[in-house]
């Protein structure tokens, strides 16, 4: 099969590119200038060279090409109307879904941009097959023209008629390679996050924190209730991805993960868990690994008597029956430092503070000294003083990881 390429102002042909000419029309002159609403003869003819050739849209687009279609004006029995012509294309002859190309013409010669045709075919296919990958192989394309009357005052009238459709048996549209990038945000939603109130289950899209200095990796703490935990996730709020969108599950906590009928990720065994997501760029898409770990959170540093030991059991936080995680009482005053523990990562990569004393803020900038100093160094916040929390001996840290809030008292 030969491959055809569109060139501007030329005809499609096997050897030399020739114009696809849509010819038409019968004309029955009548001296009475009355609009003939039931005009017939607006006929589009399939070009002779279409049957044995493939029209390559992307190659034509790269060459700056266009497809010219022409037709004679439908016969309105002598009424001197201007006609706007609109070209419509479809991949289904029913035209239940079609694409109407931009830039109508008021002349019986219409230039169709090859790039727009290429995008139209891709869009039509993906609308009809949302779960499929565009095949980048030739397919039939159906073409028709709509004629709309415009009167001498350039007012568009309601009188519209469509031609029959023609079939171009082999049209090649090519989906340009997509740039695959790591996500910059991830969210989780379900009955494993939220509190059923202002941040209600299945309505609160809880942002996952990024592991500091590690692009494409995220983590969060979740709770699976005894009657069954379920959640979905996504790169944005409302991006409902489920079990099948995860490439690999690595269950290190005996969470007993499975898929619900609606695609939700089911956590079969109740309890607290740390979800650590690793995103990697694959050949055609981003691949996601969900690592499930037993939940753990700690305090460290000045309030812990100057102890900077990572994962020191003496400074581990514990959840109560209401799901509030509480630290041991601080033994000294100073700036609070706290973190969720993700196995394999230093504590400072997953630490958090209480922004304005109540909302968890996970570290996303360098802190060589402390929150008080380095939040000011960050420079893109108007209130750096609200990042540092000072504790006194006897205080405790209380955190609700369901909705990412907390307090020191």
């Amino acid at each position: 099969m030969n491959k055809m390429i569109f060139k501007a102002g030329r005809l499609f042909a096997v050897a030399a590119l020739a114009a696809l000419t849509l010819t038409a029309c019968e004309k029955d002159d009548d001296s009475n200038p009355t609009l003939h609403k039931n005009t017939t003869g607006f006929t589009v003819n399939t070009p002779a060279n279409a049957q044995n050739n493939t029209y390559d849209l992307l190659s034509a687009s790269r060459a700056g090409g266009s497809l010219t279609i022409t037709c004679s004006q439908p016969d309105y029995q002598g009424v001197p109307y201007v006609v706007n012509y609109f070209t419509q294309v479809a991949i289904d002859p029913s035209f239940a879904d079609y694409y109407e190309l931009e830039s109508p013409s008021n002349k019986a010669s219409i230039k169709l941009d090859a790039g727009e045709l290429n995008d139209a075919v891709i869009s039509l296919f993906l609308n009809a097959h949302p779960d499929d990958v565009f095949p980048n192989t030739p397919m039939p394309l159906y073409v028709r023209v709509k004629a709309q009357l415009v009167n001498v005052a350039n007012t568009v009238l309601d009188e519209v008629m469509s031609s029959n459709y023609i079939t171009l048996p082999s049209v090649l549209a090519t989906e340009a390679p997509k740039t695959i990038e790591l996500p910059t945000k991830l969210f989780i939603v379900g009955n494993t996050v939220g509190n059923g109130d202002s941040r209600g289950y299945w309505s609160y899209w809880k942002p996952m924190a990024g592991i500091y200095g590690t692009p494409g990796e995220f983590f969060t703490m979740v709770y699976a209730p005894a009657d069954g935990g379920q959640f979905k996730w996504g790169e944005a709020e409302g991006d409902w991805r489920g079990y099948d969108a995860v490439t690999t599950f690595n269950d290190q906590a005996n969470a007993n993960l499975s898929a619900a009928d609606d695609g939700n990720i089911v956590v079969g065994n109740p309890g607290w868990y740390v979800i650590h997501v690793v995103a990697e760029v694959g050949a055609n898409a981003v691949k996601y690994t969900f690592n499930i770990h037993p939940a753990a959170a700690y305090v460290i540093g000045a309030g812990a008597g100057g102890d900077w030991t990572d994962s020191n059991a003496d400074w581990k936080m514990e959840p109560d029956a209401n799901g509030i995680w509480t630290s041991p009482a601080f033994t000294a005053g100073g700036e609070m430092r706290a973190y969720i523990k993700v196995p394999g990562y230093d504590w400072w990569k997953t630490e958090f503070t209480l922004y304005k004393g109540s909302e968890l803020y996970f570290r996303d900038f360098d802190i060589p000294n402390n929150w008080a100093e380095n939040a000011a160094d960050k420079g893109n916040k108007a209130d750096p003083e609200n990042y540092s929390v000072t504790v006194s001996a006897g205080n405790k840290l209380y955190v609700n990881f369901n909705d990412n809030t907390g307090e020191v008292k």
Side-chain angles (χ1 to χ4, degrees):
M1 178 177 289
N2 296 323
K3 181 177 287 187
M4 303 292 291
I5 299 178
F6 301 165
K7 293 288 186 179
R10 292 190 171 185
L11 298 170
F12 290 103
V14 176
L17 305 174
L20 172 60
T21 304
L22 308 184
T23 62
C25 298
E26 299 174 0
K27 184 166 185 175
D28 182 12
D29 289 327
D30 191 319
S31 58
N32 183 5
T34 301
L35 177 61
H36 183 50
K37 295 183 179 181
N38 297 317
T39 297
T40 59
F42 188 30
T43 303
V44 177
N45 300 311
T46 303
N49 55 18
Q51 189 64 37
N52 299 312
N53 295 283
T54 294
Y55 299 104
D56 185 344
L57 300 175
L58 184 60
S59 295
S61 175
R62 289 172 174 169
S66 63
L67 162 63
T68 300
I69 60 176
T70 63
C71 68
S72 57
Q73 177 172 314
D75 179 13
Y76 296 106
Q77 294 202 348
V79 180
Y81 281 98
V82 173
V83 180
N84 279 342
Y85 297 99
F86 300 82
T87 303
Q88 299 172 343
V89 296
I91 60 172
D92 185 322
S94 72
F95 278 80
D97 186 21
Y98 64 85
Y99 183 98
E100 186 170 289
L101 277 69
E102 298 179 0
S103 304
S105 174
N106 59 10
K107 298 179 180 179
S109 178
I110 312 167
K111 281 189 175 183
L112 309 178
D113 181 82
E116 187 182 5
L117 282 173
N118 186 79
D119 294 343
V121 174
I122 295 170
S123 177
L124 289 165
F125 180 90
L126 294 179
N127 284 344
H129 309 280
D131 297 326
D132 293 346
V133 176
F134 186 76
N136 289 343
T137 55
M139 65 182 69
L141 183 66
Y142 305 95
V143 183
R144 69 184 181 188
V145 176
K146 180 181 75 175
Q148 184 167 40
L149 295 179
V150 181
N151 66 15
V152 291
N154 203 34
T155 302
V156 176
L157 304 180
D158 291 335
E159 304 305 327
V160 177
M161 65 179 300
S162 293
S163 71
N164 65 310
Y165 70 82
I166 63 168
T167 304
L168 303 180
S170 184
V171 172
L172 176 63
T174 305
E175 189 173 32
K178 296 179 180 178
T179 301
I180 302 173
E181 297 178 345
L182 290 173
T184 58
K185 294 181 180 180
L186 284 186
F187 296 81
I188 186 171
V189 64
N191 69 351
T192 56
V193 299
N195 54 23
D197 297 321
S198 60
R199 295 182 175 181
Y201 308 127
W202 296 105
S203 62
Y204 168 49
W205 286 80
K206 178 183 174 183
M208 301 182 74
I211 292 183
Y212 175 69
T214 312
E217 298 198 28
F218 304 85
F219 68 100
T220 193
M221 183 100 78
V222 302
Y223 178 74
D227 57 353
Q230 296 193 28
F231 67 92
K232 278 194 166 85
W233 60 285
E235 293 185 16
E237 295 185 21
D239 180 17
W240 298 90
R241 304 189 192 188
Y243 189 95
D244 290 343
V246 177
T247 309
T248 304
F249 285 99
N250 178 27
D251 185 359
Q252 297 293 312
N254 191 31
N256 188 22
L257 303 175
S258 62
D261 291 342
D262 58 4
N264 291 345
I265 299 172
V266 178
V267 185
N269 293 330
W272 285 97
Y273 300 95
V274 166
I275 299 178
H276 167 217
V277 180
V278 179
E280 298 176 288
V281 174
N284 300 305
V286 176
K287 298 180 179 180
Y288 293 91
T289 298
F290 274 51
N291 301 292
I292 314 299
H293 299 289
Y298 299 83
V299 293
I300 197 170
D307 187 348
W308 293 91
T309 305
D310 196 340
S311 303
N312 187 339
D314 292 338
W315 295 105
K316 187 175 183 179
M317 301 179 69
E318 297 291 346
D320 63 19
N322 296 317
I324 303 301
W325 287 66
T326 304
S327 74
F330 294 108
T331 58
E335 186 180 70
M336 182 198 78
R337 306 294 288 268
Y339 58 100
I340 292 174
K341 184 59 184 178
V342 176
Y345 294 84
D346 292 330
W347 68 269
W348 48 270
K349 284 182 168 287
T350 57
E351 74 165 314
F352 61 87
T353 188
L354 298 178
Y355 178 65
K356 293 187 176 180
S358 62
E359 182 176 351
L360 266 64
Y361 184 98
F362 289 88
R363 174 176 177 166
D364 60 357
F365 56 90
D366 191 22
I367 306 178
N369 298 320
N370 53 62
W371 287 90
E373 294 179 41
N374 300 125
D377 294 341
K378 186 180 179 185
N380 63 351
K381 293 285 184 179
D383 50 1
E385 68 278 3
N386 287 313
Y387 290 84
S388 182
V389 176
T390 300
V391 302
S392 300
N395 287 159
K396 295 182 179 181
L397 170 63
Y398 302 85
V399 175
N400 183 343
F401 287 112
N402 279 330
D403 61 9
N404 278 355
T405 60
E407 61 179 334
V408 170
K409 61 181 181 179

